[in-house]
Amino acid sequence: MWALPGDAGSGGRPGRRALILVENLSVPFDRRVWQECTTLRDAGWTVDVICPQGGKRDTEPEAVIDGVRIHRYPLRAATGGPAGYLREYGTALWHTVRLARKVGPVDVVHACNPPDLLFLPALWLKRRGARFVFDQHDLVPELYLSRFGRGKDLLYRAVCALERRTYRAADVVIATNESYRDVAVRRGGKRPADVFVVRSAPDVDRFHPVPPEPELKRGKPHLLCYLGVMGPQDGVDYALRALAKLRDEVGRGDWHAVFVGGGDTFDAMVELAGRLGLSEQVQFTGRIPDADLVRYLSTADVCLSPDPHNPLNDVSTMNKVLEYMVMGRPMVSFDLREARVSAGDAALYARADDESEFARLVSVLLDDPEKRALMGKTGQERIGGALSWRNSQRALLDAYAAAVRDRSAGTARDPDPAGEGRTIER
């Protein structure tokens, strides 16, 4: 049987302790990490987290939230090119080791990337008896290629070397999807039985539809919505150019669009909207409270997933896609491998980076309310079934059981000649 919260097979014997290391987001703002924390807590683990402090939330140096102790350190995000990243990562590593000493001995150290540098404190903890679980949120070499456009230069070779060191140090790898799992096996040289897919899934307590509010459409018949980070690789510029084509090539102005979120390119995207003549039809909210986010998503007719095709996006699971689905919203996406795995028939897919076709498919959905309703229902069913967090909980607890070499009497590891790392029922 599966190892469920509280079962012996989860490795959750009394007194077991896990330390989760995060560098790029605060906790519990990092929703995936927080779900992992609470799953482990419910399985009997004592959980500590070391992470940076947030800007407007998660600001306390130390907090105990729902039984999880969180240790936070001050961190300024990198600016000014490679030197800025060296300062950021050096500061983060120093604080992480400092706080890990404070936490004391643990059974498992669970490091979440990026960056691929947390294997250094993990190795220090391994020498003190901990097992190392590497939670690969991003493929950093692909992230480097997609974000900076510098090609396979010296820094690219450096991040590849750090990824190899991380894989080598890890006892168990957690991947967010099958594409990442394949990389861990093929490029990382991990045994298939030591790599577990723990898919991200929306928090259904946070995301649930509320009655739509027509006033959010600013007097237009339709509302389009983008939710997510605004970084160089996230495609907000593609979405804005597609909306300009929706107006100019398709000939429709019966829509208002809202872009929710922030990031490195936020100001540049506001400026781009102005240059495209979209300022009156496109609203940028920045980061907003969950309650307001749910209002916009509940009112949206079509959601936008404009991530362009690049080495990272093609194999990554986009949180916004899952969040659109749990809210029952249809979407238009560029044709990316893992977008299709997540959304299935809950999305229409434009040819990679084809802004004109993206605009045309938005128009198709605006003209077909029945299709929108069917796609929204399909998305909700997928989130409630194969893509539900409960399935990910089981995989997470199996990964921890493998890390500590603890099996329940009813669970065994398939010899798995096909290399798929499955757990089977005896």
Side-chain angles (χ1 to χ4, degrees):
M1 64 178 67
W2 285 103
L4 294 171
D7 289 349
S10 71
R13 293 203 306 259
R16 283 240 157 115
R17 193 169 193 183
L19 173 61
I20 299 181
L21 310 179
V22 189
E23 193 276 342
N24 67 328
L25 285 176
S26 64
V27 176
F29 179 70
D30 188 320
R31 298 289 180 171
R32 172 185 170 89
V33 172
W34 186 243
Q35 287 175 309
E36 291 174 329
C37 290
T38 55
T39 295
L40 293 166
R41 176 206 62 198
D42 291 345
W45 286 80
T46 298
V47 181
D48 287 78
V49 180
I50 296 174
C51 67
Q53 291 173 307
K56 296 182 179 179
R57 55 175 294 176
D58 300 341
T59 57
E60 305 91 343
E62 186 168 331
V64 177
I65 303 175
D66 296 339
V68 176
R69 184 172 295 276
I70 306 170
H71 312 263
R72 305 190 184 106
Y73 54 86
L75 186 67
R76 186 171 64 181
T79 57
Y85 283 95
L86 286 174
R87 285 192 297 272
E88 176 188 336
Y89 296 155
T91 300
L93 286 172
W94 185 84
H95 282 294
T96 297
V97 172
R98 175 181 64 83
L99 292 170
R101 289 177 181 274
K102 177 181 176 181
V103 170
V106 295
D107 296 282
V108 168
V109 54
H110 175 155
C112 308
N113 81 334
D116 286 340
L117 286 168
L118 294 176
F119 77 92
L120 294 169
L123 281 174
W124 177 74
L125 289 163
K126 280 190 73 172
R127 287 196 292 269
R128 286 151 179 79
R131 305 287 286 176
F132 175 26
V133 173
F134 172 40
D135 192 349
Q136 190 164 29
H137 293 187
D138 279 309
L139 300 177
V140 175
E142 283 79 1
L143 176 62
Y144 181 84
L145 292 174
S146 302
R147 184 178 179 90
F148 297 109
R150 296 165 57 107
K152 296 183 178 181
D153 61 1
L154 179 62
L155 285 175
Y156 171 79
R157 293 194 292 273
V159 298
C160 289
L162 291 172
E163 183 190 68
R164 287 195 298 271
R165 290 293 304 275
T166 302
Y167 280 135
R168 192 178 308 147
D171 297 296
V172 165
V173 174
I174 291 174
T176 57
N177 59 40
E178 291 291 345
S179 295
Y180 278 31
R181 182 179 185 275
D182 289 345
V183 170
V185 173
R186 173 178 45 83
R187 190 163 80 198
K190 304 306 293 183
R191 294 191 316 134
D194 291 331
V195 185
F196 296 78
V197 175
V198 178
R199 296 185 63 91
S200 297
D203 181 350
V204 295
D205 294 327
R206 178 190 181 207
F207 287 99
H208 50 83
V210 298
E213 300 180 32
E215 59 270 22
L216 297 179
K217 300 183 179 185
R218 299 279 182 93
K220 300 290 187 178
H222 303 295
L223 180 67
L224 310 176
C225 187
Y226 171 89
L227 161 65
V229 176
M230 298 185 189
Q233 73 275 14
D234 295 304
V236 176
D237 54 335
Y238 285 80
L240 292 172
R241 290 190 293 266
L243 293 182
K245 293 178 184 295
L246 180 63
R247 177 196 61 198
D248 299 335
E249 294 181 4
V250 183
R252 49 189 319 164
D254 57 344
W255 49 269
H256 176 69
V258 61
F259 284 70
V260 179
D264 297 349
T265 64
F266 179 88
D267 292 339
M269 294 302 99
V270 174
E271 181 184 354
L272 176 60
R275 293 203 308 270
L276 293 170
L278 292 171
S279 296
E280 296 300 316
Q281 279 188 272
V282 174
Q283 172 188 0
F284 290 88
T285 68
R287 293 187 175 95
I288 58 177
D290 287 352
D292 291 330
L293 169 60
V294 166
R295 291 169 57 226
Y296 281 114
L297 288 176
S298 296
T299 306
D301 297 287
V302 177
C303 288
L304 310 176
S305 184
D307 306 89
H309 187 280
N310 60 41
L312 179 69
N313 290 346
D314 192 44
V315 296
S316 296
T317 300
M318 305 300 174
N319 286 334
K320 60 177 162 286
V321 168
L322 305 174
E323 289 162 353
Y324 296 157
M325 291 165 66
V326 78
M327 292 294 292
R329 300 297 92 188
M331 75 194 85
V332 176
S333 169
F334 288 124
D335 195 357
L336 305 176
R337 185 194 320 174
E338 284 295 333
R340 283 190 177 272
V341 171
S342 295
D345 292 336
L348 296 184
Y349 301 94
R351 286 184 298 272
D353 306 349
D354 188 331
E355 296 158 356
S356 293
E357 186 175 13
F358 195 100
R360 182 185 66 80
L361 293 178
V362 170
S363 182
V364 166
L365 288 181
L366 292 181
D367 286 336
D368 195 339
E370 291 184 0
K371 185 175 186 66
R372 296 201 306 266
L374 178 60
M375 290 170 65
K377 181 180 179 182
T378 297
Q380 287 181 317
E381 289 173 348
R382 288 175 65 80
I383 289 293
L387 302 182
S388 73
W389 177 245
R390 183 160 181 80
N391 291 333
S392 294
Q393 286 180 307
R394 293 165 172 162
L396 173 65
L397 297 177
D398 274 353
Y400 264 63
V404 298
R405 300 294 186 261
D406 186 12
R407 302 285 188 264
S408 68
T411 304
R413 179 63 49 186
D414 189 347
D416 193 16
E420 296 182 359
R422 291 183 295 263
T423 299
I424 60 173
E425 185 169 316
R426 298 279 190 214

